[in-house]
Amino acid sequence: MLPIQCKEIMKKFLIGIDDYISEKIFDEKGRIGEEECVSDLLRSLNGKGKGPRGLEITAKDFEEYLQEIISEIGLQGKVKFCMETEDFSKTFEGAVNQADYALALKFVDTSSDVTMAEHNSWEIYYLFQTKVARIPGEESERDNLKWSDKASFVETSGQVERINMLKEIIGDSAIYYHYFCPYGAIGLNEKSHVYRKLKNDLSEPLFNECERLGMWITEKWHKKVSGIFANNDFVSSWVYFILMHYFDSANSKNISFTHPLEFKKSPDGQKQIEERNKILKRDKDTLEKIIAHLGTNGTEKRKITAESFQKRGYLRLIEVQVDFPFYEYELALSPSSPAPDEPKAPGGGGSSSPSP
């Protein structure tokens, strides 16, 4: 985990990415598609490039800011924030992972105590099927239309069924729907369940941050924006989905980072996690099992085989790795200092309460 002092700059970095993409969706009124949105996301998270023009904090800037904070804390050693991206093919999406991109979150404790460093280090992978909100109304009237929670998402024939079948192998919490909504999506209906709950649960500054966000994560498919915020099913903003993995929620007041990852603690859950990791590594046996299970092996004239996905980087992957000497940081805290983050792999309670 990272020191709590790093939380605000990480949140600002991630919110800046959300602002950049969701404002574009808001202004274009549904004229941009999934490919452009995912490409913008990958460019924003790629630490090797300059990032899209208009992004407040680039990934490279963010790493530099983190290092400054660590130096101010007085802790020796460097913090590293590494982001890598990899392309994919539509064939791989349709036949295997049912996702537009994969997200690998990793934490490496670089402390000199090897045993404790290994104990505190973790990694977890997720798959995301992306959908972009479409403003309701006729194309000819688009410029005069206004966003509402009736904005819809395009459903690809058979996709929801294939995703549910894939979950039978890799687990319910392995693949999510990532909804690209317009800026301020949750405020499109102030009577929705999630809006009212967050308004009640969060402090005003935190709620104001949440209200502007446009990228949201759910486990279930929704045809309209209204469905995302309608009930007590799991929903999280994309920003906090990532943030919650690197900071202990006990250090945050009036905010819930609860998330349905409890299956990770069980043997079956660990097996599911291993299966999804094998997808990213394009393990031949795993790919064959999934292709057979989904019935996506193509036609007699154009067979789809596991071997065809092993020769190239067919997966669009966002890898976020944070290197930090957490154990040494924990030792450096004096007894009078606030308790550090509890070292643990990401996960926790199975509550379906919404996260901002």
Side-chain angles (χ1 to χ4, degrees):
M1 296 305 191
L2 285 171
I4 196 64
Q5 294 94 322
C6 300
K7 183 178 178 181
E8 286 303 312
I9 188 60
M10 188 171 188
K11 183 167 64 172
K12 186 176 182 180
F13 167 60
L14 296 173
I15 287 178
I17 295 173
D18 187 295
D19 284 349
Y20 169 73
I21 297 175
S22 61
E23 285 180 355
K24 182 187 289 189
I25 293 172
F26 184 93
D27 293 338
E28 294 295 326
K29 296 190 175 182
R31 290 189 177 93
I32 61 176
E34 294 171 12
E35 283 294 311
E36 184 173 347
C37 288
V38 175
S39 293
D40 282 342
L41 184 64
L42 266 66
R43 288 171 57 216
S44 299
L45 287 168
N46 193 331
K48 293 183 178 180
K50 294 182 179 179
R53 184 173 296 179
L55 198 62
E56 185 176 359
I57 302 175
T58 66
K60 185 177 181 180
D61 293 336
F62 174 59
E63 183 176 1
E64 293 175 357
Y65 287 142
L66 280 183
Q67 188 59 57
E68 290 177 8
I69 293 172
I70 298 303
S71 298
E72 290 173 2
I73 292 174
L75 185 66
Q76 294 182 349
K78 292 186 177 181
V79 61
K80 181 181 179 183
F81 194 84
C82 176
M83 296 184 182
E84 301 287 346
T85 62
E86 183 182 352
D87 286 335
F88 84 127
S89 76
K90 281 293 183 183
T91 306
F92 190 88
E93 175 189 349
V96 182
N97 69 349
Q98 308 305 307
D100 290 290
Y101 75 92
L103 177 66
L105 299 177
K106 303 181 180 182
F107 181 82
V108 179
D109 189 336
T110 55
S111 300
S112 56
D113 187 316
V114 176
T115 301
M116 291 305 298
E118 289 181 353
H119 172 73
N120 292 333
S121 300
W122 51 262
E123 62 182 44
I124 193 164
Y125 297 83
Y126 301 101
L127 301 173
F128 290 93
Q129 173 56 235
T130 62
K131 298 295 178 182
V132 181
R134 305 295 182 194
I135 198 166
E138 296 296 327
E139 175 67 31
S140 59
E141 298 294 325
R142 189 181 296 268
D143 289 331
N144 299 320
L145 298 173
K146 293 184 178 181
W147 284 102
S148 76
D149 68 339
K150 293 182 176 62
S152 61
F153 304 100
V154 176
E155 180 178 1
T156 303
S157 177
Q159 187 176 74
V160 175
E161 289 76 13
R162 290 193 298 273
I163 287 175
N164 290 335
M165 291 173 68
L166 180 61
K167 286 182 177 181
E168 295 172 2
I169 297 177
I170 64 175
D172 289 340
S173 295
I175 182 166
Y176 291 88
Y177 293 96
H178 178 160
Y179 295 99
F180 289 98
C181 302
Y183 181 90
I186 195 172
L188 294 175
N189 182 359
E190 297 182 1
K191 295 182 180 180
S192 73
H193 171 80
V194 174
Y195 182 95
R196 289 184 286 108
K197 180 169 179 57
L198 294 181
K199 181 77 170 177
N200 180 68
D201 291 352
L202 303 183
S203 65
E204 185 174 353
L206 285 174
F207 179 77
N208 290 340
E209 287 178 355
C210 177
E211 192 176 23
R212 68 199 272 190
L213 301 176
M215 297 196 294
W216 291 85
I217 307 297
T218 73
E219 285 184 324
K220 295 183 178 180
W221 159 248
H222 297 286
K223 293 183 179 180
K224 296 182 179 180
V225 170
S226 59
I228 298 173
F229 310 114
N231 53 47
N232 205 40
D233 290 338
F234 170 75
V235 57
S236 173
S237 67
W238 175 85
V239 169
Y240 282 89
F241 185 91
I242 296 178
L243 198 67
M244 58 163 277
H245 287 77
Y246 293 103
F247 298 93
D248 183 1
S249 61
N251 287 318
S252 306
K253 296 181 179 179
N254 301 321
I255 195 165
S256 171
F257 289 132
T258 55
H259 190 271
L261 297 177
E262 75 282 355
F263 72 92
K264 189 179 190 305
K265 298 178 181 179
S266 68
D268 289 340
Q270 189 61 42
K271 182 177 180 181
Q272 291 171 329
I273 289 176
E274 291 171 359
E275 289 292 339
R276 83 180 77 153
N277 294 355
K278 289 178 182 178
I279 292 177
L280 302 189
K281 296 176 182 178
R282 292 178 288 281
D283 175 75
K284 181 175 179 291
D285 292 340
T286 300
L287 297 188
E288 286 180 345
K289 179 168 64 175
I290 291 174
I291 291 171
H293 186 66
L294 300 182
T296 53
N297 54 354
T299 64
E300 287 295 328
K301 292 184 177 180
R302 191 172 182 272
K303 283 287 185 183
I304 295 176
T305 63
E307 287 87 348
S308 64
F309 298 125
Q310 293 182 296
K311 299 177 182 178
R312 293 176 56 190
Y314 278 111
L315 185 65
R316 178 170 276 175
L317 173 68
I318 298 172
E319 183 174 287
V320 178
Q321 178 170 318
V322 178
D323 294 0
F324 175 72
F326 175 77
Y327 180 62
E328 292 172 1
Y329 162 70
E330 193 176 38
L331 290 177
L333 293 177
S334 66
S336 59
S337 299
D341 294 340
E342 181 70 20
K344 59 186 177 182
S351 168
S352 58
S353 299
S355 295

